[in-house]
Each structure stands twice: as C-alpha cells, then as structure tokens.
Amino acid sequence: QVTLKESGPVLVKPTETLTLTCTVSGFSLSNARMGVSWIRQPPGKALEWLAHIFSNDEKSYSTSLKSRLTISKDTSKSQVVLTMTNMDPVDTATYYCARIITTLPFGYFDYWGQGTLVTVSS
Amino acid sequence: EIVLTQSPGTLSLSPGERATLSCRASQSVSSSYLAWYQQKPGQAPRLLIYGASSRATGIPDRFSGSGSGTDFTLTISRLEPEDFAVYYCQQYGSRVTFGPGTKVDIK
C-alpha cells in the first residue's frame, strides 16, 4: 500500500536551516502523473502548500516562501527532501508530505504522511 | 493567487442531520479543480472529493461535492459520529491554495 513518512529534527533554532525527508513506499517517484508535495500546518491553523516535485523533476514553490525553499528527490532511495532556510518561530508547524495526482502543473493530494511537528525556538 | 473562503467557520449539528459547507474562491477555479479534505485532531487530512464532485476511493456516498466557477459546496447527507471534524477545500487550478476550514462539531 501507499505510505509516506516524514523525518527530520523536532527542534531548530532561529536562523537555522531545516531539512526534512519524505520516504515513500507503494509507488515510484518515477511514475508519470505523480509527485510529492510538502504542506505545513501551524498549531490550530490552516494548511499551507509549500512545494512540489514531479517525476520529470519539475518543481514549483509557494510564491511567498520561494526564496527560502528547495525541493529535490532521490528516486533510487524513494525520498523527497525539502530544505527551508532562515527558520523563524512563525515557521513552527506540523510538516506533511503528500502524494500529488495530476495531469496539470498542480493537483490534489490522495495520500498523506503522518506529519512531523517542527518547533523553532532558541 | 486564488483566495478561498469557507463558511460557516463552525457548524454545530446533531448526528443524522445534513451538513452543507461552502467554499468560495476569489476568482474562477478553472475546470472545477477543487478538492475537499477531512481532518480529525492529531491526524493528517484525508481526501474526500476531487474535481469538485468526484469521490475519492473508499469515501462513503453520504459525502458529495458540487459547484463550479467560484462557488463550491460539500454536503454530508446524514452526519455519522465519525464525521465531526474540520473540513478544508483546496484549489489546484492556479497554483495551490487551501481554505481556512470549517469545523463541524456536535450540537
């Protein structure tokens, strides 16, 4: 079955760089029409899309966070990595990776990881 | 960027009642590229509806989606105890944005 699992630090200091890894199983990152997105959710707040990467290595980023984000994938390891620079306490959130289904530049999310809570504090 | 507004913010209903949730977009959502998700406390969101009206795999038929352009609706025909949760809409016709959510709680 399809699963996604996020991993990374639970605590980062302000100004540091966050690196999160999403390990997928049950599908290949080389499958056409599929990709992986990162989405975050501050405590008690709504969801915010961050970035995605598709099988052809096409990438897209949130307009407001583009300068701070980098997404990449290692198909052989079934992993997608997101880095976010210059972390701030307002970036405290649960970070989810999710599989995206599309024939478009964008799409919807049919499988989600359990999420990982990242706290930004000194 | 397309801004999604959901109403009401909270919907208080009893099991067995009908729930009608609204999602309004600041501009037309192309080709009805609108999805709905359910999220329970401590859990990841679950896809319910995509393409405005197509139910995702395994979703009960008491959930239905409708609408086009800027106005979309999620209807739960008869609320079951497990349906009390927060519901988000998401558009994917022009980048990706989510609405602020509607909480359906027990009256």
Side-chain angles (χ1 to χ4, degrees):
Chain A
Q1 79 274 24
V2 173
T3 64
L4 302 93
K5 186 169 185 178
E6 306 88 352
S7 58
V10 297
L11 179 66
V12 297
K13 292 180 169 55
T15 75
E16 288 186 340
T17 294
L18 171 68
T19 299
L20 294 172
T21 300
C22 177
T23 303
V24 309
S25 64
F27 72 101
S28 171
L29 295 176
S30 62
N31 280 5
R33 291 192 64 234
M34 291 182 185
V36 171
S37 276
W38 286 95
I39 297 151
R40 71 178 180 179
Q41 185 173 38
K45 296 188 178 181
L47 301 161
E48 179 184 20
W49 175 75
L50 300 176
H52 75 221
I53 188 165
F54 286 121
S55 57
N56 62 358
D57 214 39
E58 176 189 335
K59 304 166 190 173
S60 187
Y61 297 98
S62 161
T63 303
S64 60
L65 294 169
K66 183 174 184 176
S67 64
R68 298 173 54 203
L69 297 173
T70 302
I71 193 168
S72 62
K73 65 180 174 72
D74 185 330
T75 301
S76 65
K77 293 183 178 179
S78 296
Q79 292 181 333
V80 173
V81 176
L82 181 76
T83 62
M84 180 180 291
T85 61
N86 195 25
M87 293 292 285
D88 183 271
V90 301
D91 296 314
T92 293
T94 295
Y95 287 76
Y96 295 99
C97 60
R99 188 174 81 166
I100 183 168
I101 299 292
T102 185
T103 56
L104 315 165
F106 303 94
Y108 58 91
F109 312 105
D110 65 341
Y111 287 92
W112 295 64
Q114 64 192 18
T116 184
L117 175 61
V118 178
T119 301
V120 184
S121 174
S122 55
Chain B
E1 177 177 285
I2 295 179
V3 176
L4 299 178
T5 304
Q6 292 187 244
S7 61
T10 301
L11 193 55
S12 297
L13 295 168
S14 301
E17 289 193 294
R18 181 184 187 91
T20 303
L21 287 67
S22 174
C23 176
R24 179 161 291 177
S26 59
Q27 54 189 281
S28 184
V29 177
S30 61
S31 304
S32 297
Y33 291 142
L34 193 287
W36 290 92
Y37 301 85
Q38 176 194 69
Q39 187 178 35
K40 298 179 181 178
Q43 296 184 16
R46 177 174 72 142
L47 176 68
L48 300 175
I49 301 286
Y50 63 94
S53 60
S54 297
R55 266 188 304 276
T57 303
I59 301 303
D61 60 8
R62 64 180 181 272
F63 291 92
S64 63
S66 63
S68 63
T70 60
D71 290 299
F72 299 87
T73 301
L74 175 70
T75 302
I76 310 171
S77 59
R78 292 176 312 279
L79 281 165
E80 297 288 341
E82 62 268 27
D83 299 337
F84 292 92
V86 179
Y87 292 82
Y88 294 97
C89 57
Q90 174 232 337
Q91 68 80 25
Y92 50 99
S94 173
R95 308 190 69 78
V96 172
T97 51
F98 289 92
T102 289
K103 182 178 182 180
V104 179
D105 65 15
I106 300 176
K107 187 173 182 180

